[in-house]
């Protein structure tokens, strides 16, 4: 999406008074993007605006010819290109596979990244033992309309039309091959991290570890990370120390203010299922949050601490192996399918 938008923006430069812009999709489809004007209010960062509209911070900067995320001020009008149909339920569009020599329902399912049982369901009149060369097999593959979709469970799912996370303000992507998520997840993460940079220009860059592979599915050594809704990211280190990679973090190294801000910003989108954070680090978050005025009652749904580390409560909770990074899982999005 990013590249295409940028391309069309160049083409449309100076003509953005138009209320909508036709953008060619990868295939023959055309979708209409609408220009929405966001007026900046006091205290808003570019990241927060991207977060509110669920667009990519890099796109937002391109659309507005911003050289940095600090090129905004209250009263300024920010252009946002949005797809008005973005949240509408996808129309399943059939794709046809013409049977070739050696094809079976299993091999067709594997080829398109779906399950054999689905191929059977979409072709109830076809006997799988008697398919013939040239026969047409219908495939209602998720994401046929080009939108990125998380499908199935995080532990056994897939990703359709995954969007690759790229470097963005305050973020460095370690392994691009393992950095695909749904467009929504990628946009939310990049925006929230840019928002931290908006508040603390000296904030170090975080390192993005694994999200999912391009089409999702098994990503060793993880059990989850299969459907484009999970991400591993480093913590903010105190003193704005920039970490080259994942490094174990002790409570004294942990920058509670920035980490709290990042987590709370993401949680406020109401699209976070949980964030795994080491128990010892949670104590730092808890104390910091209280120091800026949060009450015990307010913190109860957010943090597992001070409950015991095995208590499965609080959006931020302990899981082993999260001393050097946090793991965030996003909730199922409005267009995700069979998502659990
Ligand atoms: Zn993880």
């Amino acid at each position: 999406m990013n590249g295409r938008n940028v391309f069309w923006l160049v083409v449309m430069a100076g003509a953005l008074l138009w209320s909508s812009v036709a953008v060619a999709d990868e295939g023959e489809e055309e979708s209409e993007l609408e220009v929405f004007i966001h007026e900046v209010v006091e205290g808003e960062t570019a990241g927060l605006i991207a977060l509110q509209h669920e667009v990519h911070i890099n796109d937002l900067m391109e659309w507005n010819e911003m050289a940095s995320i600090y090129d905004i001020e209250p009263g300024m009008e920010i252009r946002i290109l949005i797809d008005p149909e973005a949240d509408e339920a996808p129309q399943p569009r059939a794709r046809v596979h013409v049977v070739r020599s050696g094809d079976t329902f299993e091999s067709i399912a594997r080829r398109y990244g779906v399950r054999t049982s689905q191929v059977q369901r979409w072709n109830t009149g076809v006997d799988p033992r008697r398919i013939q060369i040239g026969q047409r097999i219908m495939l209602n593959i998720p994401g046929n309309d080009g939108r990125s979709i998380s499908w199935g469970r995080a532990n056994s799912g897939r990703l359709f039309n995954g969007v690759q996370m790229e470097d963005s303000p305050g973020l460095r992507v370690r392994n691009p091959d393992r950095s695909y998520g749904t467009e929504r997840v990628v946009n939310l993460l990049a925006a929230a991290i840019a928002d931290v940079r908006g508040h603390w220009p000296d904030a170090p860059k975080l390192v993005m570890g694994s999200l999912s592979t391009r089409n999702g599915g098994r990503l060793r050594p993880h059990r989850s990370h299969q459907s484009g809704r999970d991400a591993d990211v480093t913590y903010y280190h105190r003193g704005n120390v920039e970490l080259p990679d994942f490094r174990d973090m002790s409570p004294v190294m942990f920058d509670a203010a920035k980490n709290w801000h990042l987590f709370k910003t993401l949680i406020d989108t109401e699209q976070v299922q949980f964030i795994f954070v080491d128990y010892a680090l949670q104590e730092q978050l808890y104390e910091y949050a209280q120091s800026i005025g949060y009450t015990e009652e307010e913190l109860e749904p957010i943090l597992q601490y001070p409950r015991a580390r095995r208590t499965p409560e609080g959006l931020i909770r302990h899981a082993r192996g999260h001393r050097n990074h946090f793991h965030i899982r996003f909730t199922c999005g409005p267009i995700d399918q069979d998502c659990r």
Side-chain angles (χ1 to χ4, degrees):
M1 195 78 174
N2 307 356
R4 284 204 307 277
N5 289 346
V6 172
F7 170 73
W8 278 97
L9 258 168
V10 174
V11 174
M12 303 308 293
L16 278 167
L17 296 174
W18 293 15
S19 62
S20 72
V21 183
V23 173
D25 243 299
E26 254 123 46
E28 58 296 331
E29 300 292 327
E30 281 213 340
S31 64
E32 293 274 313
L33 293 186
E34 285 176 4
V35 179
F36 179 86
I37 302 295
H38 178 106
E39 196 176 316
V40 180
V41 300
E42 189 72 45
E44 268 181 337
T45 65
L48 195 63
I49 296 166
L51 192 81
Q52 287 167 37
H53 299 283
E54 291 184 21
V55 295
H56 202 286
I57 180 67
N58 293 354
D59 285 342
L60 184 142
M61 290 170 71
E62 292 276 355
W63 298 332
N64 295 279
E65 295 175 17
M66 292 164 64
S68 95
I69 54 170
Y70 306 109
D71 286 352
I72 69 165
E73 54 185 21
M76 196 172 139
E77 292 188 338
I78 297 281
R79 286 185 292 263
I80 310 273
L81 296 190
I82 50 170
D83 176 358
E85 293 170 9
D87 282 353
E88 281 176 23
Q91 296 295 317
R93 272 179 230 176
R95 177 154 164 180
V96 176
H97 174 82
V98 179
V99 174
R100 285 173 237 170
S101 173
D103 277 353
T104 61
F105 270 18
E106 286 76 19
S107 71
I108 295 168
R110 217 177 308 124
R111 183 187 158 100
Y112 292 96
V114 294
R115 298 210 167 129
T116 307
S117 59
Q118 289 179 292
V119 179
Q120 268 155 4
R121 208 188 319 141
W122 298 326
N123 295 276
T124 45
V126 179
D127 182 344
R129 288 158 304 180
R130 291 172 189 228
I131 56 172
Q132 294 175 352
I133 292 171
Q135 191 168 353
R136 292 156 68 83
I137 303 295
M138 304 305 286
L139 301 160
N140 293 315
I141 296 169
N144 254 359
D145 56 3
R147 289 186 283 169
S148 66
I149 285 171
S150 174
W151 180 82
R153 295 174 190 270
N155 289 345
S156 63
R158 304 278 302 189
L159 174 62
F160 294 92
N161 303 314
V163 171
Q164 195 170 31
M165 193 103 206
E166 52 188 52
D167 289 356
S168 56
L171 177 70
R172 189 166 62 77
V173 176
R174 184 175 68 175
N175 191 338
D177 292 344
R178 295 168 155 245
S179 298
Y180 288 86
T182 63
E183 186 173 21
R184 175 183 66 108
V185 162
V186 165
N187 289 355
L188 291 175
L189 276 170
I193 291 166
D195 176 59
V196 174
R197 268 262 167 128
H199 288 283
W200 288 278
D202 295 335
K205 282 188 181 177
L206 295 185
V207 179
M208 175 68 60
S210 296
L211 274 95
S212 295
T213 57
R214 192 161 201 270
N215 302 311
R218 188 89 169 123
L219 175 59
R220 289 178 197 287
H222 307 281
R223 267 172 304 174
S224 62
H225 289 271
Q226 295 203 21
S227 63
R229 293 192 291 125
D230 295 275
D232 291 340
V233 191
T234 53
Y235 296 112
Y236 288 105
H237 192 295
R238 201 171 267 187
N240 296 327
V241 176
E242 192 152 312
L243 300 175
D245 207 332
F246 285 22
R247 293 280 185 276
D248 270 356
M249 176 124 336
S250 68
V252 289
M253 299 150 115
F254 187 73
D255 189 330
K258 296 189 189 74
N259 287 306
W260 170 261
H261 186 94
L262 177 62
F263 298 155
K264 187 65 169 59
T265 302
L266 286 163
I267 286 169
D268 285 346
T269 65
E270 299 184 346
Q271 300 191 59
V272 171
Q273 198 164 323
F274 58 72
I275 305 175
F276 288 145
V277 173
D278 187 85
Y279 192 76
L281 304 177
Q282 285 185 45
E283 183 181 357
Q284 303 294 310
L285 292 172
Y286 189 83
E287 284 171 6
Y288 172 76
Q290 283 205 320
S291 79
I292 58 168
Y294 285 90
T295 64
E296 272 174 45
E297 295 70 39
E298 286 170 327
L299 293 175
E300 201 176 294
I302 300 173
L303 275 163
Q304 172 188 50
Y305 185 90
R307 286 166 288 208
R309 70 169 70 203
R310 289 184 190 281
T311 317
E313 288 168 38
L315 287 169
I316 297 172
R317 68 184 80 139
H318 178 79
R320 275 176 58 192
H322 295 88
R323 260 183 116 73
N324 60 9
H325 73 282
F326 67 88
H327 173 130
I328 183 166
R329 172 158 320 150
F330 288 88
T331 55
C332 295
I335 63 167
D336 292 341
Q337 291 182 19
D338 294 324
C339 181
R340 279 162 289 167

